[in-house]
Amino acid sequence: MEEVIEIRSYQLKVDQSAQFHHLVSTQSVPLQASAGIKVLHYGFSLSSGAGSDQDYVLIRQFANLTDLIQCQSDFYQSAAWLSGPRESILACIQSSHSIVIPAIHFPMKAHHE
């Protein structure tokens, strides 16, 4: 099986972008890294346009589709996520959408801030 890339986009609630980014960068991404999830990129979408910061993206890489399903199941059911930033992060999101594609065309490296 080939590696896959998950691209998750978020439409954030009005006035929640700073809070969301803070939670993702200081809590969610470190938690994902400690769970073995490879985050390639996260941040505001360039397509948001001037003055709009409600479009956010999270890009992650997994060994294969089975790994994606297992890693996400383990992570999103973990005590660290459930008792950690989950509620605060979900409160910032109006909607989200995910797509999964083969990684072969995306030679990316993990994001480090």
Side-chain angles (χ1 to χ4, degrees):
M1 290 188 181
E2 65 185 324
E3 289 186 327
V4 297
I5 300 288
E6 177 200 33
I7 303 170
R8 187 172 284 194
S9 65
Y10 301 95
Q11 178 70 37
L12 303 178
K13 293 178 181 175
V14 175
D15 297 327
Q16 294 298 306
S17 59
Q19 173 72 3
F20 185 80
H21 182 67
H22 175 74
L23 291 165
V24 169
S25 61
T26 64
Q27 294 183 43
S28 180
V29 168
L31 276 178
Q32 291 180 65
S34 69
I37 296 174
K38 187 177 189 179
V39 175
L40 300 177
H41 179 77
Y42 61 92
F44 297 100
S45 171
L46 296 177
S47 66
S48 295
S52 175
D53 58 1
Q54 291 177 256
D55 296 322
Y56 201 89
V57 66
L58 171 68
I59 303 173
R60 304 183 286 191
Q61 185 171 2
F62 297 90
N64 51 52
L65 191 54
T66 301
D67 182 51
L68 178 150
I69 293 165
Q70 187 63 56
C71 285
Q72 288 187 3
S73 176
D74 292 347
F75 179 75
Y76 291 117
Q77 292 177 30
S78 71
W81 172 251
L82 294 173
S83 64
R86 181 184 182 275
E87 291 301 319
S88 297
I89 285 176
L90 292 178
C92 297
I93 300 170
Q94 182 171 323
S95 64
S96 66
H97 181 74
S98 292
I99 61 169
V100 178
I101 56 177
I104 192 164
H105 301 293
F106 295 89
M108 303 172 115
K109 297 180 182 171
H111 182 79
H112 300 287
E113 271 199 3

Short mmCIF file of all heavy atoms in Angstrom, two decimals, residues 6 8 10 28-29 31-32 35 37 39 58 60 62 68-83 85-86 89-90 93 98:
data_model
loop_
_atom_site.label_atom_id
_atom_site.label_comp_id
_atom_site.label_asym_id
_atom_site.label_seq_id
_atom_site.Cartn_x
_atom_site.Cartn_y
_atom_site.Cartn_z
N GLU A 6 -3.62 13.34 3.81
CA GLU A 6 -4.96 13.81 4.16
C GLU A 6 -4.90 15.33 4.21
O GLU A 6 -4.04 15.91 4.88
CB GLU A 6 -5.40 13.29 5.53
CG GLU A 6 -6.75 13.85 5.93
CD GLU A 6 -7.03 13.77 7.41
OE1 GLU A 6 -6.07 13.88 8.21
OE2 GLU A 6 -8.19 13.61 7.75
N ARG A 8 -7.17 18.35 5.32
CA ARG A 8 -8.38 18.69 6.07
C ARG A 8 -8.54 20.20 6.06
O ARG A 8 -7.62 20.93 6.44
CB ARG A 8 -8.25 18.17 7.50
CG ARG A 8 -9.53 18.33 8.30
CD ARG A 8 -9.42 17.63 9.62
NE ARG A 8 -9.55 16.19 9.42
CZ ARG A 8 -9.76 15.32 10.40
NH1 ARG A 8 -9.82 15.74 11.65
NH2 ARG A 8 -9.88 14.05 10.15
N TYR A 10 -10.87 23.57 7.19
CA TYR A 10 -11.82 24.04 8.22
C TYR A 10 -12.35 25.40 7.84
O TYR A 10 -11.57 26.27 7.43
CB TYR A 10 -11.13 24.16 9.58
CG TYR A 10 -10.52 22.89 10.09
CD1 TYR A 10 -9.18 22.61 9.88
CD2 TYR A 10 -11.27 21.98 10.80
CE1 TYR A 10 -8.60 21.46 10.36
CE2 TYR A 10 -10.71 20.81 11.28
CZ TYR A 10 -9.38 20.55 11.06
OH TYR A 10 -8.80 19.40 11.53
N SER A 28 -2.75 20.74 19.78
CA SER A 28 -3.13 19.65 18.89
C SER A 28 -1.95 19.06 18.12
O SER A 28 -1.76 17.84 18.10
CB SER A 28 -4.21 20.12 17.91
OG SER A 28 -4.58 19.07 17.06
N VAL A 29 -1.16 19.90 17.45
CA VAL A 29 -0.03 19.38 16.67
C VAL A 29 0.98 18.66 17.56
O VAL A 29 1.41 17.56 17.22
CB VAL A 29 0.61 20.49 15.81
CG1 VAL A 29 1.94 20.04 15.23
CG2 VAL A 29 -0.34 20.89 14.68
N LEU A 31 0.38 17.09 20.34
CA LEU A 31 -0.26 15.83 20.72
C LEU A 31 -0.22 14.83 19.57
O LEU A 31 0.03 13.64 19.78
CB LEU A 31 -1.73 16.06 21.12
CG LEU A 31 -2.02 16.50 22.54
CD1 LEU A 31 -3.51 16.73 22.73
CD2 LEU A 31 -1.51 15.48 23.54
N GLN A 32 -0.50 15.31 18.36
CA GLN A 32 -0.47 14.43 17.20
C GLN A 32 0.94 13.88 16.98
O GLN A 32 1.12 12.69 16.71
CB GLN A 32 -0.96 15.16 15.96
CG GLN A 32 -2.46 15.46 16.03
CD GLN A 32 -2.96 16.17 14.81
OE1 GLN A 32 -2.94 15.60 13.72
NE2 GLN A 32 -3.38 17.41 14.98
N ALA A 35 1.74 11.16 19.22
CA ALA A 35 0.99 9.95 18.86
C ALA A 35 1.51 9.34 17.55
O ALA A 35 0.95 8.35 17.07
CB ALA A 35 -0.49 10.28 18.73
N ILE A 37 1.64 10.87 14.55
CA ILE A 37 0.99 11.41 13.36
C ILE A 37 1.91 12.46 12.75
O ILE A 37 2.36 13.38 13.43
CB ILE A 37 -0.39 11.99 13.68
CG1 ILE A 37 -1.32 10.86 14.17
CG2 ILE A 37 -0.98 12.71 12.48
CD1 ILE A 37 -2.67 11.34 14.65
N VAL A 39 2.42 15.57 10.81
CA VAL A 39 1.78 16.79 10.34
C VAL A 39 2.74 17.48 9.38
O VAL A 39 3.84 17.85 9.77
CB VAL A 39 1.39 17.73 11.50
CG1 VAL A 39 0.85 19.05 10.98
CG2 VAL A 39 0.39 17.05 12.43
N LEU A 58 -5.10 21.70 7.50
CA LEU A 58 -4.22 20.78 8.21
C LEU A 58 -3.89 19.67 7.23
O LEU A 58 -4.80 19.04 6.66
CB LEU A 58 -4.91 20.20 9.45
CG LEU A 58 -4.21 19.07 10.19
CD1 LEU A 58 -2.94 19.60 10.86
CD2 LEU A 58 -5.13 18.44 11.22
N ARG A 60 -1.70 16.12 6.67
CA ARG A 60 -1.00 15.06 7.38
C ARG A 60 -0.66 13.91 6.43
O ARG A 60 -1.35 13.70 5.45
CB ARG A 60 -1.85 14.53 8.53
CG ARG A 60 -2.27 15.63 9.50
CD ARG A 60 -3.04 15.14 10.67
NE ARG A 60 -4.40 14.76 10.32
CZ ARG A 60 -5.35 14.50 11.22
NH1 ARG A 60 -5.07 14.55 12.51
NH2 ARG A 60 -6.56 14.17 10.84
N PHE A 62 0.29 9.70 6.11
CA PHE A 62 0.17 8.40 6.76
C PHE A 62 0.78 7.32 5.87
O PHE A 62 0.86 7.48 4.65
CB PHE A 62 -1.31 8.08 7.03
CG PHE A 62 -1.96 9.04 7.98
CD1 PHE A 62 -2.57 10.19 7.50
CD2 PHE A 62 -1.94 8.83 9.35
CE1 PHE A 62 -3.17 11.10 8.36
CE2 PHE A 62 -2.52 9.74 10.22
CZ PHE A 62 -3.15 10.88 9.73
N LEU A 68 -3.93 5.49 8.38
CA LEU A 68 -4.70 6.72 8.63
C LEU A 68 -5.89 6.41 9.54
O LEU A 68 -6.11 7.09 10.55
CB LEU A 68 -5.18 7.30 7.30
CG LEU A 68 -6.04 8.57 7.37
CD1 LEU A 68 -5.81 9.41 6.13
CD2 LEU A 68 -7.50 8.27 7.52
N ILE A 69 -6.64 5.39 9.18
CA ILE A 69 -7.85 5.04 9.95
C ILE A 69 -7.48 4.67 11.38
O ILE A 69 -8.10 5.13 12.34
CB ILE A 69 -8.62 3.92 9.24
CG1 ILE A 69 -9.19 4.45 7.92
CG2 ILE A 69 -9.72 3.37 10.14
CD1 ILE A 69 -9.68 3.36 6.97
N GLN A 70 -6.44 3.84 11.54
CA GLN A 70 -6.04 3.39 12.88
C GLN A 70 -5.47 4.53 13.71
O GLN A 70 -5.84 4.70 14.88
CB GLN A 70 -5.02 2.26 12.78
CG GLN A 70 -4.69 1.64 14.13
CD GLN A 70 -5.90 0.99 14.75
OE1 GLN A 70 -6.53 0.12 14.15
NE2 GLN A 70 -6.27 1.40 15.96
N CYS A 71 -4.59 5.34 13.11
CA CYS A 71 -3.99 6.46 13.85
C CYS A 71 -5.05 7.46 14.30
O CYS A 71 -5.02 7.93 15.44
CB CYS A 71 -2.96 7.18 12.98
SG CYS A 71 -1.41 6.31 12.79
N GLN A 72 -5.97 7.78 13.41
CA GLN A 72 -7.01 8.74 13.77
C GLN A 72 -7.94 8.18 14.83
O GLN A 72 -8.34 8.88 15.76
CB GLN A 72 -7.77 9.19 12.54
CG GLN A 72 -6.94 10.08 11.67
CD GLN A 72 -7.72 10.70 10.53
OE1 GLN A 72 -8.92 10.52 10.39
NE2 GLN A 72 -7.03 11.43 9.69
N SER A 73 -8.28 6.90 14.71
CA SER A 73 -9.13 6.27 15.72
C SER A 73 -8.46 6.31 17.09
O SER A 73 -9.06 6.72 18.09
CB SER A 73 -9.44 4.83 15.32
OG SER A 73 -10.19 4.19 16.32
N ASP A 74 -7.19 5.91 17.12
CA ASP A 74 -6.45 5.91 18.39
C ASP A 74 -6.33 7.32 18.96
O ASP A 74 -6.54 7.54 20.14
CB ASP A 74 -5.06 5.31 18.19
CG ASP A 74 -5.08 3.83 17.87
OD1 ASP A 74 -6.13 3.17 18.03
OD2 ASP A 74 -4.02 3.33 17.43
N PHE A 75 -5.97 8.27 18.09
CA PHE A 75 -5.76 9.64 18.56
C PHE A 75 -7.04 10.28 19.07
O PHE A 75 -7.08 10.83 20.18
CB PHE A 75 -5.16 10.50 17.45
CG PHE A 75 -4.93 11.92 17.87
CD1 PHE A 75 -3.89 12.26 18.71
CD2 PHE A 75 -5.78 12.93 17.44
CE1 PHE A 75 -3.68 13.57 19.12
CE2 PHE A 75 -5.58 14.24 17.85
CZ PHE A 75 -4.53 14.56 18.69
N TYR A 76 -8.10 10.22 18.27
CA TYR A 76 -9.33 10.92 18.64
C TYR A 76 -10.12 10.24 19.76
O TYR A 76 -11.06 10.82 20.29
CB TYR A 76 -10.19 11.17 17.40
CG TYR A 76 -9.55 12.19 16.48
CD1 TYR A 76 -9.15 11.85 15.20
CD2 TYR A 76 -9.31 13.49 16.91
CE1 TYR A 76 -8.54 12.79 14.37
CE2 TYR A 76 -8.70 14.43 16.10
CZ TYR A 76 -8.32 14.06 14.83
OH TYR A 76 -7.70 14.99 14.01
N GLN A 77 -9.70 9.03 20.14
CA GLN A 77 -10.30 8.36 21.30
C GLN A 77 -9.38 8.40 22.53
O GLN A 77 -9.75 7.90 23.58
CB GLN A 77 -10.62 6.91 20.94
CG GLN A 77 -11.73 6.79 19.92
CD GLN A 77 -12.00 5.35 19.53
OE1 GLN A 77 -11.82 4.43 20.31
NE2 GLN A 77 -12.45 5.15 18.30
N SER A 78 -8.23 9.01 22.38
CA SER A 78 -7.26 9.05 23.48
C SER A 78 -7.69 10.02 24.58
O SER A 78 -8.35 11.03 24.33
CB SER A 78 -5.88 9.45 22.97
OG SER A 78 -5.85 10.83 22.62
N ALA A 79 -7.29 9.70 25.79
CA ALA A 79 -7.57 10.58 26.93
C ALA A 79 -6.91 11.95 26.74
O ALA A 79 -7.48 12.97 27.11
CB ALA A 79 -7.09 9.93 28.22
N ALA A 80 -5.71 11.95 26.15
CA ALA A 80 -5.00 13.22 25.94
C ALA A 80 -5.80 14.17 25.06
O ALA A 80 -5.83 15.38 25.30
CB ALA A 80 -3.62 12.95 25.31
N TRP A 81 -6.47 13.65 24.03
CA TRP A 81 -7.29 14.48 23.15
C TRP A 81 -8.62 14.81 23.81
O TRP A 81 -9.04 15.97 23.84
CB TRP A 81 -7.53 13.76 21.82
CG TRP A 81 -8.52 14.46 20.94
CD1 TRP A 81 -9.79 14.05 20.64
CD2 TRP A 81 -8.34 15.69 20.23
NE1 TRP A 81 -10.40 14.95 19.81
CE2 TRP A 81 -9.54 15.97 19.54
CE3 TRP A 81 -7.30 16.60 20.12
CZ2 TRP A 81 -9.71 17.10 18.75
CZ3 TRP A 81 -7.46 17.73 19.33
CH2 TRP A 81 -8.65 17.96 18.66
N LEU A 82 -9.29 13.80 24.35
CA LEU A 82 -10.62 14.00 24.91
C LEU A 82 -10.62 14.92 26.13
O LEU A 82 -11.53 15.72 26.31
CB LEU A 82 -11.24 12.65 25.26
CG LEU A 82 -11.54 11.74 24.07
CD1 LEU A 82 -11.98 10.36 24.54
CD2 LEU A 82 -12.57 12.35 23.15
N SER A 83 -9.59 14.81 26.96
CA SER A 83 -9.53 15.67 28.15
C SER A 83 -8.66 16.90 27.91
O SER A 83 -8.52 17.74 28.78
CB SER A 83 -8.99 14.88 29.34
OG SER A 83 -7.66 14.47 29.11
N PRO A 85 -7.48 19.45 24.31
CA PRO A 85 -8.00 20.57 23.53
C PRO A 85 -9.27 20.29 22.72
O PRO A 85 -9.79 21.19 22.07
CB PRO A 85 -6.84 20.89 22.59
CG PRO A 85 -6.19 19.57 22.36
CD PRO A 85 -6.27 18.88 23.70
N ARG A 86 -9.80 19.09 22.76
CA ARG A 86 -10.92 18.71 21.89
C ARG A 86 -12.08 19.71 21.92
O ARG A 86 -12.47 20.24 20.88
CB ARG A 86 -11.44 17.32 22.26
CG ARG A 86 -12.60 16.88 21.38
CD ARG A 86 -13.16 15.53 21.84
NE ARG A 86 -14.23 15.09 20.97
CZ ARG A 86 -15.49 15.45 21.07
NH1 ARG A 86 -15.87 16.29 22.02
NH2 ARG A 86 -16.40 15.00 20.22
N ILE A 89 -11.22 23.23 20.60
CA ILE A 89 -10.99 23.25 19.16
C ILE A 89 -12.32 23.12 18.41
O ILE A 89 -12.60 23.89 17.48
CB ILE A 89 -9.99 22.15 18.75
CG1 ILE A 89 -8.58 22.59 19.16
CG2 ILE A 89 -10.07 21.85 17.25
CD1 ILE A 89 -7.50 21.58 18.90
N LEU A 90 -13.14 22.16 18.81
CA LEU A 90 -14.43 21.98 18.14
C LEU A 90 -15.32 23.22 18.23
O LEU A 90 -16.07 23.52 17.31
CB LEU A 90 -15.16 20.77 18.71
CG LEU A 90 -14.53 19.41 18.42
CD1 LEU A 90 -15.34 18.29 19.08
CD2 LEU A 90 -14.39 19.17 16.93
N ILE A 93 -14.89 25.63 15.23
CA ILE A 93 -15.11 25.15 13.86
C ILE A 93 -16.57 25.27 13.46
O ILE A 93 -17.46 24.77 14.15
CB ILE A 93 -14.66 23.69 13.73
CG1 ILE A 93 -13.17 23.56 14.04
CG2 ILE A 93 -14.96 23.15 12.33
CD1 ILE A 93 -12.69 22.12 14.17
N SER A 98 -12.53 16.72 4.62
CA SER A 98 -11.26 16.02 4.42
C SER A 98 -11.25 15.31 3.08
O SER A 98 -12.27 14.77 2.65
CB SER A 98 -11.05 14.96 5.51
OG SER A 98 -10.85 15.56 6.75
#
